[in-house]
Amino acid sequence: MSAGSSPLPSGAPVRTGSRFGSGLALVAVALAVVLASAPVREPEIWSHLARGRAVAEGRPHPARDDGLLSPPNARGAHVSVLYDLPLYAGFRFLGGAGAAALNAGAAALLAFVVFRTGRTPGRSAPAGACALVTVLCVGPWLELGPRVASYLFLALTMLLLRSAALRAESGARGTGGARWQVFVLFAVWANVDRWVVVGPVTIGSMALVAWRGRTPAAWVLGELFLIGLGASLLSPNHWTVWTPAHTVGWEGAGPSASPFWPAWYRTGSPIVGAGYAGLVLLGLFAFWRDRGARAWAPVWFLLLVGAARWPVVAPLFAVVAGPTAALGLASAQLPALPGAGRRWGRAVRFTGWVFVLAGAGALLAVGWTGWATGRPLGRPAWSVDTDDSLRDAVLVIERWRREGALGPNENGVALSPEVADYRSWFGEGGAQGTGEQSGALDFATVRAGLLPEGDGEPGAAGWREVFRKRGISYLILHSGGAVPTERVVTRLAGAPDEWTLLYLRGRTVVFGWQDPAARGAGDRFAPLRLSPERRAFSPALSDTAPLGGADREPGARAWARAFAAPNPGAPQEQDEAALYLAYFDGQRGTYDAQNRATWLASQSASLLGNLAAPAPGPGPGAADIGQWIFGVPGAWNAFLAGRDDGSLGAPVLAVRSARRAVRENPDDARSYFLLGEAYLRLAQATRERTWRYLLPAFDRIRQVQAITAFQKVLILRPDSAAAHGRLARLYRDRGSLDLALHHLDGLIKATRARGPQPGETPEGARQALAALEREYEGLGTEVRRREALCEGGAGRRALDQAREAAGAGLPDRALKLLLKSDASEFGPEGAKLELDLLLWAGRGNDIRAWLDPELEKSVGAATYHEILACLAAVTGDYRDTGPEMRNVAGALLRVPSRLPTPHAQASYDVGRALLSTPFISGTPSTFVHNALVREGLYEEVHQITTSLRREANAHVVGGLLAMEAGQIEEAEAFFKLALVAWGARDGRGGGSGLDFSGRRVAQDCLRLIREHRTDG
C-alpha cells in the first residue's frame, strides 16, 4: 500500500454518489462563509491596514515604538506584506465589508479544498461530511487575520502532496508541476503568516514515512520538502519563522481554552468540542483501517499535541484531521443494500437527501446565530467595529501635540498592544523606531512598576528612570485585554500629585505624569486636566444618560434577535462606567486625608472660639466642660457622612455610562452589575449618606435602583456570586432576612461551583466558604424562629398576616401571602403594602402589569405617581420621572384652600386667628368660641405648611433624578421651585418662608451646578 494513497475497497460497495457528497460540500462552504462573517473587533487589523497603506504608498512600515513605548509586537513581528496589501486594498475600496468579505472568501475556499483533499473516486460523501465537521471545528478561529490564510495554505499543501504521491505511485514521470506549485505556495505563505513552518513540517513528516516504507514517493516528497523549506525563507522574516517564540509565543498558552480539555465546555461551544472528539476518533480509525492514511499520522499527532498545549494550533489540527478522517471512512466496507430494485434505491436516496437538507438547515441556523461556535448570539455581519474611545484618544493626543500642550520630545507609554495598533492607523505615524531590544527591556521595567501586585502596591522599581530617559509624560490605558486596567487606574488616582487624569472615554484612559523630582515647575497639565465634576454637572450630550430605558427586558427573545441582528458586543460605555468607579475608589485615601484636615481645622477654630467665650457656669442647664472645649461628641461621624469619599462626579458619570450600556445591549449582565455598583457608591460613599435621612422617598428610590440592577444580573447570570452577595448584604442591612437568606444561599452555591479565584489559595477559598456557611446557618435559624412566630397567626386575614410577616423582617413571606389572596380582600392598605413589597423585591414588571387608573383611586394619587416615578427611575425612563414627580407634588398639595393659592390661604388663616384674639374682656362663651376658631385655623395652617413642605421635597427628588440623568436645566428648575417655599428667588437667598428637610440638598445641588457651569 502506498503512502498517501487511499485505495478503493474491494468488492462491490454501494456507490454513495457524487451529488450527495457535493451537497454536503456546498453546505460546508456556506457554513464557512457564515462562521467567518462575524463583526471584526480584533485591534490587530489596524496595524495590518497601516502596513498595507505604507506599502501602497511606498513608505516604510510605521514603527510601533516611535514616540510610544508599547508592548513588544509579538503578533505583528512577522512581516506579512502579501496579507497587508490585499487587506488594505479591500478596505480602501469597499470599506469594512470588503475586508470581511476577503476573510469569508478564504474560509469558503478552505472548506472546498478540505473536501477535495479527502475525496476519493466514488466516495465523495465522507469527504463532504468531514469537510463539514472541519469547518465547525475551525469556526471559533475564523476571525479576520492572517491565520485564516494559513489554514487555507495547509489544506492546499495536503492536496498537492496527495496528488504528487498518487502520481509517483502510479509510475508517472515528473511531479505534474508540484515543484513550482509548492515553491509559489510557500513563498506566498512566508509573506502572509508566521505559521508557514507547518508546511515544511507536513511535507517532511510524509517524506519520512515514505522513506521508511521504501516507496517511490519518498524521493518526490523529499525534493518537495527541500523546495518548501527554501521557499519558507524567502521573506523579510528569514530564519526567524523557525523560532518557537515567533510562531507560537508563550503568553496565554494555557490549556484551559483548548477544546481537548474539560474546561473548554464551561465557555466554549459543545458542538465544537464534540467535533474535535469525533475527528480524533475517526483519525484513529483511519490509521487502523487504511494504510494510506498512515502517511498523515506524524503531522496528525504532532498537531494534536500542540493543540492540547496551545489553543491556536487546534484549527490546524482540524485541517489535517478532516481529510484524514474522510480517507478512513471511504475505506470502510459498507454492507450492500438488498436487491429490492430501483424503487428501494430511490427511497434510500430520497431519505438521505431529506436528512441532508434538515441537517444542513439546522447547522446553518446554529451557525447563523453564532451558537455553533460559542460566540455571542447574533447574525453574521461584514463589518469592522472601531473602538471610538481609543481612536479619539489617539487623535486628541495628536491635537495636543499640534497645539503645543505636549512638546515635540514628549513621548508616551501604553501597557496594551491595541493602543499601538490604533495609533499606527489613526495617528500621524513616524519614521522607524529605536532599538527593539532596549524597548522591550524598558517596557518590561515599566510594566512591572505600574501594574499593582497582589497587595495593590507597585512591583519593580526603576520605571521612573525609564520615563525620564525616554521623555515619557503620559500613559495610555485601554480595557479589554490582559492588563488589569481598572486596578491600574485605582492606583494612579490615589497619587494625584504625580498622575493627572487627562482623558476618559469608553475603554480608554490617559494620565499625565509629573516627575516628582520636578514638582517646583508647577502643574503643567492644568489646562488639560479632566474634571469629573464639571463633566457631570455641566455635561455635554455624550455625558448624559438616555431619556428612555432599555427597549426590552434582559434575555427576552434572544434567539429571535440573533437571526435578525448582529451581536452588538460589550458596549464601550460599560468599561467607561467601570473606569469611573475605579477612579473614584482610588481617590478614597486622598479625600479621607482632605476631610480629616478640614475637620481638624474646623475643630481648631471651634476650640479657639470656645476658649474666648466665658466658661459655662454651674447649674442644670450648663454645658458639659468637655463639649465646651472639644465640641460636640460624635460630630466627626456626622461631618464625614456629609462629605464625599471621592470625586462625586465619578459615580454620577458611572451611572449614566452604565445606563447607556444597558440601552445599547440589555443582554449584558456586566452593565447591570456596574449600574448597581454605581448606585451603591452614591448611596454609601458620598454626601447622599445624609440625604437619605432628609429625603426618605429618594432613599427608597436609590436602594430599589441598586436592588433591581442586581436582580437583572441574576436574570442573565443566575450563578453570579457577586450579584447574590450584593443583594444578600442589601437585604440584610434593611432587615429583610428571608430575602437575604435566599441570596446568601445563592452566593454559597455559586462560590462552591466556581472554586478558588485567581490569586486565592484553595485553603483560603475553603475558609471563606466555611464562613459563609456559618453565616447562613445563623441567619437561617433566626428566619425559622420568626416564621414560627408568624405561624401562630394562621386563620387571620391575609393582610394582617402579611403585616406581621413584614414587621418581623420576612417580606418575601408577606408578599407571597398577598399574592395568593384576592386584591379585593385586603383593600387599599393591602394594595399599598403589596406595591411596596414588589418594589423592594425588584419586581418592577409585576407592578407595571398591575398599575391602572383604577388603582390610583384606591391607593391615592400621591402614592400612585410616586410608584410610577420610582419605576421610571429604576428602568432609566428619565423622561417620565419629571412629570411623575410633578404629579406627586400636585397630589401632595391638595389641602383645604378657599383662596387661589395655599400660601394666600395660610396667610388669611393666620390673620383671622390674630383678629379673633380678644383684646378686651368678653363673656366666657366668647372666649371658648374664639379659642375653637383659632384652633381650627391653626390646624388648617399646619396642614397647609405640611403639604407645602412635602411638595418642596417632591420637587427636590425630581431635581435629583433629573441631575442623575444629566438634564441639568430641568434639575435646576426643580431645585429653584422647591426653594420658593423657603422664600428664595431664583434659588438664591431665602429664609423668610417655610423650611423643609430637603432644603439643604437643593442648595447643595444648585451650588454644584453653578460652580461647574462657570468652571473653565
Side-chain angles (χ1 to χ4, degrees):
M1 194 68 60
S2 62
S5 64
S6 181
L8 291 174
S10 59
V14 175
R15 186 180 181 90
T16 57
S18 60
R19 292 182 181 179
F20 191 70
S22 299
L24 290 173
L26 287 176
V27 175
V29 170
L31 184 63
V33 172
V34 169
L35 297 182
S37 298
V40 180
R41 298 188 173 101
E42 282 292 322
E44 187 182 357
I45 183 180
W46 303 111
S47 288
H48 288 292
L49 288 173
R51 291 196 292 266
R53 179 177 60 187
V55 173
E57 296 175 356
R59 296 186 290 106
H61 286 181
R64 290 170 62 94
D65 64 339
D66 176 40
L68 182 71
L69 182 63
S70 59
N73 191 13
R75 293 176 301 172
H78 187 90
V79 180
S80 51
V81 178
L82 296 184
Y83 177 82
D84 300 337
L85 191 58
L87 182 68
Y88 170 72
F91 187 84
R92 173 70 175 80
F93 296 105
L94 299 177
L102 289 174
N103 189 64
L109 190 56
L110 167 66
F112 176 73
V113 173
V114 169
F115 166 72
R116 285 291 307 273
T117 304
R119 188 178 62 173
T120 57
R123 289 292 182 87
S124 61
C130 291
L132 196 56
V133 176
T134 300
V135 169
L136 278 173
C137 293
V138 177
W141 289 270
L142 283 179
E143 71 275 2
L144 181 64
R147 283 197 300 264
V148 177
S150 286
Y151 309 152
L152 173 60
F153 292 155
L154 178 58
L156 288 171
T157 300
M158 295 183 65
L159 179 61
L160 291 175
L161 292 179
R162 186 160 184 249
S163 300
L166 288 174
R167 182 178 179 85
E169 290 296 331
S170 65
R173 301 186 62 182
T175 60
R179 294 186 182 88
W180 69 267
Q181 291 172 352
V182 168
F183 178 82
V184 172
L185 175 64
F186 282 31
V188 173
W189 194 350
N191 288 276
V192 170
D193 188 44
R194 66 185 68 186
W195 283 101
V196 64
V197 298
V198 180
V201 169
T202 301
I203 300 178
S205 64
M206 286 192 65
L208 182 62
V209 173
W211 177 77
R212 294 191 62 182
R214 300 293 193 270
T215 63
W219 291 103
V220 174
L221 293 175
E223 184 180 0
L224 294 179
F225 167 72
L226 295 176
I227 293 174
L229 181 62
S232 68
L233 303 177
L234 297 179
S235 74
N237 307 286
H238 304 303
W239 58 270
T240 58
V241 297
W242 288 92
T243 59
H246 180 88
T247 303
V248 179
W250 300 102
E251 295 186 6
S256 60
S258 173
F260 296 99
W261 294 86
W264 167 271
Y265 296 93
R266 297 177 186 172
T267 57
S269 169
I271 294 182
V272 174
Y276 275 100
L279 288 179
V280 171
L281 294 176
L282 289 175
L284 295 176
F285 172 78
F287 299 146
W288 169 73
R289 184 69 182 83
D290 182 25
R291 292 179 58 190
R294 295 172 193 170
W296 306 105
V299 68
W300 188 94
F301 280 105
L302 180 64
L303 292 176
L304 177 62
V305 173
R309 179 65 180 88
W310 296 283
V312 71
V313 184
L316 296 170
F317 169 78
V319 171
V320 173
T324 303
L327 296 178
L329 287 177
S331 65
Q333 294 284 354
L334 298 179
L337 292 174
R342 179 179 297 178
R343 184 175 58 183
W344 178 263
R346 289 178 177 176
V348 171
R349 286 193 296 271
F350 176 78
T351 305
W353 277 108
V354 168
F355 277 103
V356 168
L357 293 177
L363 284 176
L364 290 176
V366 297
W368 181 273
T369 59
W371 186 80
T373 56
R375 61 178 170 85
L377 296 182
R379 68 166 175 81
W382 286 356
S383 62
V384 176
D385 292 353
T386 305
D387 189 328
D388 297 334
S389 66
L390 185 51
R391 177 201 61 196
D392 293 345
V394 170
L395 297 178
V396 165
I397 291 174
E398 297 287 351
R399 176 169 57 82
W400 290 343
R401 196 176 297 280
R402 290 194 302 271
E403 294 174 353
L406 291 177
N409 297 323
E410 291 187 76
N411 299 319
V413 62
L415 300 184
S416 304
E418 55 268 19
V419 177
D421 291 331
Y422 270 73
R423 184 175 179 271
S424 62
W425 174 258
F426 294 105
E428 295 181 356
Q432 295 289 344
T434 57
E436 183 69 22
Q437 184 69 21
S438 63
L441 294 176
D442 287 347
F443 178 80
T445 303
V446 170
R447 178 184 172 90
L450 294 182
L451 291 187
E453 296 180 345
D455 56 358
E457 294 298 325
W463 60 270
R464 290 185 179 89
E465 292 301 324
V466 175
F467 272 41
R468 297 183 183 109
K469 178 182 67 175
R470 286 181 167 262
I472 293 174
S473 61
Y474 62 91
L475 166 68
I476 306 177
L477 298 171
H478 186 261
S479 299
V483 176
T485 304
E486 295 166 28
R487 294 176 58 193
V488 178
V489 169
T490 299
R491 177 179 170 243
L492 300 186
D497 294 337
E498 188 171 1
W499 296 97
T500 303
L501 180 64
L502 306 180
Y503 177 92
L504 197 160
R505 286 288 184 197
R507 302 185 178 99
T508 310
V509 188
V510 179
F511 280 94
W513 181 67
Q514 300 190 90
D515 192 346
R519 287 180 179 175
D523 186 1
R524 60 179 303 274
F525 291 113
L528 305 179
R529 182 186 300 271
L530 172 62
S531 169
E533 275 78 11
R534 183 167 185 268
R535 182 176 280 187
F537 302 115
S538 183
L541 183 60
S542 59
D543 296 313
T544 62
L547 295 181
D551 56 359
R552 65 179 186 275
E553 285 299 306
R557 298 178 59 83
W559 270 95
R561 291 193 311 276
F563 280 99
N567 184 274
Q572 297 183 27
E573 290 79 4
Q574 176 190 102
D575 294 282
E576 183 175 304
L579 293 173
Y580 277 126
L581 294 178
Y583 184 76
F584 178 85
D585 292 339
Q587 292 181 307
R588 288 178 183 262
T590 303
Y591 270 65
D592 180 69
Q594 293 175 357
N595 291 336
R596 290 181 182 276
T598 304
W599 166 255
L600 291 176
S602 65
Q603 290 301 291
S604 300
S606 176
L607 176 61
L608 292 175
N610 287 337
L611 292 176
D624 183 86
I625 189 66
Q627 179 178 333
W628 173 73
I629 296 178
F630 297 106
V632 180
W636 160 250
N637 293 331
F639 172 82
L640 186 62
R643 310 285 290 187
D644 301 319
D645 293 355
S647 171
L648 177 62
V652 171
L653 292 169
V655 167
R656 298 175 191 169
S657 300
R659 285 292 182 192
R660 294 195 298 271
V662 168
R663 174 77 176 179
E664 182 178 345
N665 186 3
D667 298 324
D668 197 305
R670 185 168 180 255
S671 298
Y672 286 106
F673 183 81
L674 291 169
L675 179 62
E677 286 287 285
Y679 282 132
L680 287 185
R681 295 291 199 291
L682 285 171
Q684 300 175 358
T686 68
R687 63 193 70 183
E688 286 191 13
R689 288 174 294 207
T690 59
W691 295 357
R692 64 187 305 177
Y693 302 108
L694 302 174
L695 297 168
F698 178 70
D699 177 54
R700 179 174 77 159
I701 290 175
R702 185 63 85 217
Q703 293 196 54
V704 171
Q705 284 176 320
I707 288 172
T708 305
F710 292 128
Q711 294 284 12
K712 300 287 188 185
V713 175
L714 295 179
I715 292 176
L716 295 166
R717 291 184 55 192
D719 60 343
S720 173
H724 278 298
R726 299 295 191 279
L727 287 170
R729 188 57 55 198
L730 282 169
Y731 282 128
R732 185 153 193 177
D733 291 344
R734 187 178 176 271
S736 303
L737 300 187
D738 54 354
L739 290 172
L741 183 66
H742 168 73
H743 288 290
L744 188 57
D745 180 54
L747 173 60
I748 292 173
K749 292 178 180 177
T751 303
R752 186 181 294 116
R754 74 182 182 183
Q757 294 299 288
E760 184 181 27
T761 63
E763 180 61 27
R766 284 194 295 270
Q767 292 179 0
L769 184 60
L772 289 175
E773 291 172 343
R774 289 193 297 271
E775 183 181 358
Y776 178 80
E777 288 298 326
L779 184 58
T781 301
E782 178 63 20
V783 169
R784 288 189 293 271
R785 185 186 69 82
R786 298 190 182 195
E787 286 178 341
L789 293 175
C790 293
E791 291 291 344
R796 295 181 298 164
R797 289 191 314 159
L799 177 58
D800 296 332
Q801 296 182 52
R803 275 206 214 100
E804 182 181 13
L810 305 174
D812 190 45
R813 176 186 176 88
L815 181 58
K816 291 177 180 177
L817 287 170
L818 293 176
L819 291 176
K820 288 191 298 184
S821 305
D822 194 332
S824 61
E825 296 180 9
F826 44 74
E829 188 176 355
K832 289 182 180 180
L833 179 59
E834 184 174 346
L835 288 171
D836 188 64
L837 292 174
L838 286 171
L839 270 179
W840 284 107
R843 297 172 59 175
N845 290 335
D846 295 337
I847 299 178
R848 287 191 182 277
W850 188 16
L851 291 178
D852 57 56
E854 293 298 323
L855 186 62
E856 179 179 358
K857 300 176 183 177
S858 175
V859 301
T863 300
Y864 180 81
H865 289 289
E866 187 176 347
I867 290 175
L868 284 178
C870 184
L871 286 178
V874 163
T875 57
D877 293 312
Y878 293 107
R879 65 168 59 92
D880 297 333
T881 57
E884 292 301 337
M885 289 310 301
R886 292 188 185 94
N887 291 334
V888 171
L892 292 173
L893 202 57
R894 293 177 183 175
V895 296
S897 176
R898 293 173 295 279
L899 294 179
T901 66
H903 301 79
Q905 183 65 49
S907 301
Y908 173 75
D909 290 342
V910 172
R912 281 191 60 194
L914 291 174
L915 292 175
S916 65
T917 303
F919 294 99
I920 57 175
S921 60
T923 63
S925 61
T926 303
F927 279 108
V928 173
H929 172 75
N930 290 337
L932 292 175
V933 170
R934 287 196 305 273
E935 185 67 25
L937 292 173
Y938 289 152
E939 179 64 26
E940 188 171 305
V941 170
H942 176 71
Q943 293 180 16
I944 293 174
T945 55
T946 300
S947 297
L948 288 172
R949 290 188 175 98
R950 296 175 67 189
E951 177 204 29
N953 285 334
H955 286 144
V956 175
V957 173
L960 290 173
L961 295 178
M963 191 167 68
E964 174 187 316
Q967 305 302 311
I968 301 301
E969 293 182 359
E970 182 181 4
E972 190 175 16
F974 265 117
F975 295 137
K976 290 179 179 179
L977 186 60
L979 291 174
V980 169
W982 195 51
R985 293 185 178 182
D986 194 34
R988 303 177 187 274
S992 60
L994 290 173
D995 200 1
F996 55 97
S997 59
R999 187 255 308 169
R1000 288 183 296 168
V1001 178
Q1003 291 174 322
D1004 196 11
C1005 292
L1006 280 176
R1007 183 167 55 253
L1008 283 171
I1009 292 172
R1010 287 165 177 163
E1011 285 178 358
H1012 297 96
R1013 175 176 294 163
T1014 58
D1015 182 20

